[in-house]
Amino acid sequence: NGNFNFETYHTLDEIYQEMDHIVAEHPGLVSKVNIGHSFEKRPMNVLKFSTGGNKPAIWLDAGIHAREWVTQATALWTANKIATEYGKDAFITSLLDQMDLFLLPVTNPDGYVFSHTSNRMWRKTRSRVAGRACVGVDPNRNWDAGFAGPGASNKPCSDSYHGPSANSEVEVKSIVDFIKSHGNFKAFITIHSYSQLLMFPYGYKCSKSDTFDELNQVAQQAAKAVESLYGTKYRVGPICSVIYQASGGSIDWAYDYGIRYSFAFELRDTGRYGFLLPAKQILPTAQETWLGLQSIMEYVRDHPY
Amino acid sequence: RETFVGDQVLEVTPKNEDQIKNLLELEAEEDLQLDFWKSPTTSGETVHVRVPFVSLQAVKVFLELQGIDYSIMIEDVQALLDEEKEEMLLNQRER
């Protein structure tokens, strides 16, 4: 009803209601696209920002790891910003005049609900396999990119369990199928928290990608933009050689699939709360993240391929 | 609903490769039920690990024996969770 508080954490139902509200308020710009459902049959809803036609597109997702609550909150704030400032903000207007934007605020809805109702520290999906005691798969180890390689666990009880096979998680498969069927994504950005990192491929191997120099330059620029607001410092680099080795990750899959501009954000860390970042930090986190996103999306818009 | 009364989050700073190896061994100990928020990577890089109350003593003794520096990042995880829940309820009432 228009009084949604973007500066607090919300349940999945509240987030979905607000997504519907954003669509209702901006029918010519924003629509809801259902790309599938989760293991427990919750809808996977994407907000599509489009001024019409079939334009090249940018993909943004948040909250693939359920407990990283500031990411879902940041995504929703971002959705509202884009919707309300189209036609007023020069960058948003020019971006959406040239490209479409798809934003998935809650990539792991089952995990998100579970983190609200049962275990605030839950990270994985909620999939079950008969005869297996432990529940869930780390959905950011489940993509078809060096699947089951280093930096992922083969133990079902581990928080970084890669799952029985690539794309075994319906949440991951839904995104993969959607991106393949769309066929014209030019950028893939995933939002995580916390550690203040901006990463690009590769994670499953430690060799440089063919476009290392370009991705590094784009990421460095974006990190500077993030820092410009509140002085939040990010470290920048490929997942493996600069940060840690992790196989089966989404941006590696996107990059190998041909989406050159693939990045992963790890949002802010106060050094004290981790995933329990107080709600009063949502707004500054979202605001500074927007500057980084804008920097990347500006580059993507101006460097078509 | 799972509770986390008495669980702590430790910030651990390994000084060298040996200490990273020690922490990786600790991570593999499933009985301790440790939840690594930030896993061991390189020396000097902080590690954040939630330690269930029942494993606190064992983990602290292990770190001290190995000479690995650590500090307590979150004293009581459940206390923070309670604050978070209260804040959400308050916000729902306001709406």
Side-chain angles (χ1 to χ4, degrees):
Chain A
N1 61 359
N3 69 354
F4 188 83
N5 184 356
F6 290 94
E7 298 178 46
T8 189
Y9 295 117
H10 292 276
T11 62
L12 184 71
D13 288 345
E14 288 169 344
I15 290 176
Y16 278 5
Q17 279 171 29
E18 182 55 20
M19 286 168 65
D20 287 341
H21 178 250
I22 291 172
V23 171
E25 287 289 300
H26 307 277
L29 182 68
V30 194
S31 55
K32 185 169 81 175
V33 181
N34 177 261
I35 63 164
H37 56 78
S38 64
F39 182 82
E40 292 174 344
K41 306 292 178 206
R42 295 186 176 88
M44 303 265 297
N45 291 332
V46 175
L47 290 175
K48 178 183 179 183
F49 298 82
S50 176
T51 54
N54 287 318
K55 299 189 180 81
I58 293 173
W59 173 267
L60 271 171
D61 67 66
I64 195 168
H65 288 144
R67 64 192 181 183
E68 298 170 3
W69 283 11
V70 76
T71 66
Q72 295 93 342
T74 293
L76 203 58
W77 180 89
T78 304
N80 187 58
K81 181 178 179 70
I82 294 168
T84 53
E85 296 193 4
Y86 176 76
K88 296 175 198 158
D89 177 278
F91 164 70
I92 293 172
T93 309
S94 85
L95 178 74
L96 294 179
D97 286 346
Q98 292 174 60
M99 303 190 82
D100 290 343
L101 185 64
F102 290 83
L103 171 61
L104 177 59
V106 188
T107 306
N108 177 1
D110 295 348
Y112 189 67
V113 168
F114 196 71
S115 73
H116 274 259
T117 54
S118 301
N119 180 344
R120 177 64 181 84
M121 303 303 161
W122 193 256
R123 164 184 166 103
K124 301 193 283 184
T125 61
R126 293 295 300 162
S127 62
R128 289 161 188 274
V129 172
R132 206 176 67 191
C134 287
V135 174
V137 164
D138 181 342
N140 205 36
R141 300 290 184 278
N142 189 242
W143 300 67
D144 193 7
F147 177 77
S153 174
N154 59 4
K155 294 176 182 162
C157 296
S158 165
D159 251 353
S160 55
Y161 174 48
H162 50 56
S165 59
N167 297 340
S168 63
E169 301 314 284
V170 66
E171 297 84 354
V172 171
K173 190 174 185 309
S174 297
I175 299 172
V176 168
D177 289 348
F178 178 70
I179 285 183
K180 284 182 174 174
S181 69
H182 181 281
N184 201 15
F185 275 98
K186 299 298 182 187
F188 184 107
I189 303 169
T190 184
I191 302 176
H192 293 238
S193 71
Y194 64 97
S195 307
Q196 295 172 198
L197 309 172
L198 181 46
M199 301 178 285
F200 48 87
Y202 284 105
Y204 71 85
K205 58 185 177 183
C206 291
S207 52
K208 282 185 177 177
S209 68
D210 293 343
T211 55
F212 172 89
D213 290 339
E214 183 187 26
L215 296 182
N216 191 43
Q217 179 215 320
V218 174
Q220 296 283 0
Q221 198 61 38
K224 265 190 209 157
V226 172
E227 190 181 349
S228 67
L229 194 58
Y230 297 113
T232 306
K233 287 202 190 308
Y234 267 52
R235 280 190 299 132
V236 172
I239 298 172
C240 177
S241 56
V242 176
I243 319 296
Y244 46 73
Q245 192 162 13
S247 59
S250 64
I251 63 165
D252 282 356
W253 172 80
Y255 186 80
D256 281 350
Y257 185 65
I259 302 175
R260 182 195 299 183
Y261 302 121
S262 293
F263 296 94
F265 275 82
E266 292 272 1
L267 305 186
R268 69 160 56 182
D269 167 21
T270 61
R272 174 155 172 75
Y273 299 107
F275 305 117
L276 308 174
L277 195 67
K280 66 179 180 217
Q281 298 249 351
I282 293 173
L283 187 60
T285 304
Q287 286 168 330
E288 69 186 12
T289 303
W290 169 251
L291 298 180
L293 289 171
Q294 180 174 320
S295 174
I296 292 174
M297 292 193 290
E298 214 160 19
Y299 187 90
V300 173
R301 179 197 64 192
D302 297 340
H303 295 81
Y305 63 94
Chain B
R1 184 180 177 87
E2 195 165 330
T3 58
F4 300 87
V5 178
D7 290 12
Q8 293 187 343
V9 179
L10 304 182
E11 183 167 78
V12 184
T13 312
K15 284 194 286 278
N16 50 45
E17 290 304 312
D18 282 347
Q19 293 192 344
I20 289 169
K21 225 169 125 188
N22 290 334
L23 290 172
L24 289 170
E25 283 165 14
L26 197 65
E27 191 174 16
E29 285 293 333
E30 290 192 354
D31 290 352
L32 294 172
Q33 298 172 54
L34 304 182
D35 176 14
F36 276 78
W37 289 10
K38 276 171 77 181
S39 289
T41 50
T42 51
S43 52
E45 199 57 51
T46 56
V47 173
H48 294 167
V49 55
R50 180 177 61 80
V51 186
F53 179 71
V54 289
S55 304
L56 265 178
Q57 199 180 6
V59 169
K60 286 179 178 175
V61 167
F62 176 85
L63 294 174
E64 282 157 19
L65 273 176
Q66 305 295 336
I68 302 174
D69 293 338
Y70 74 91
S71 60
I72 298 170
M73 186 173 145
I74 297 178
E75 280 280 344
D76 185 334
V77 173
Q78 190 60 45
L80 271 186
L81 292 174
D82 291 344
E83 266 176 44
E84 195 173 63
K85 198 175 170 191
E86 208 161 292
E87 197 177 312
M88 286 182 69
L89 285 171
L90 183 73
N91 178 63
Q92 275 173 347
R93 278 203 294 273
E94 280 172 359
R95 289 185 75 212

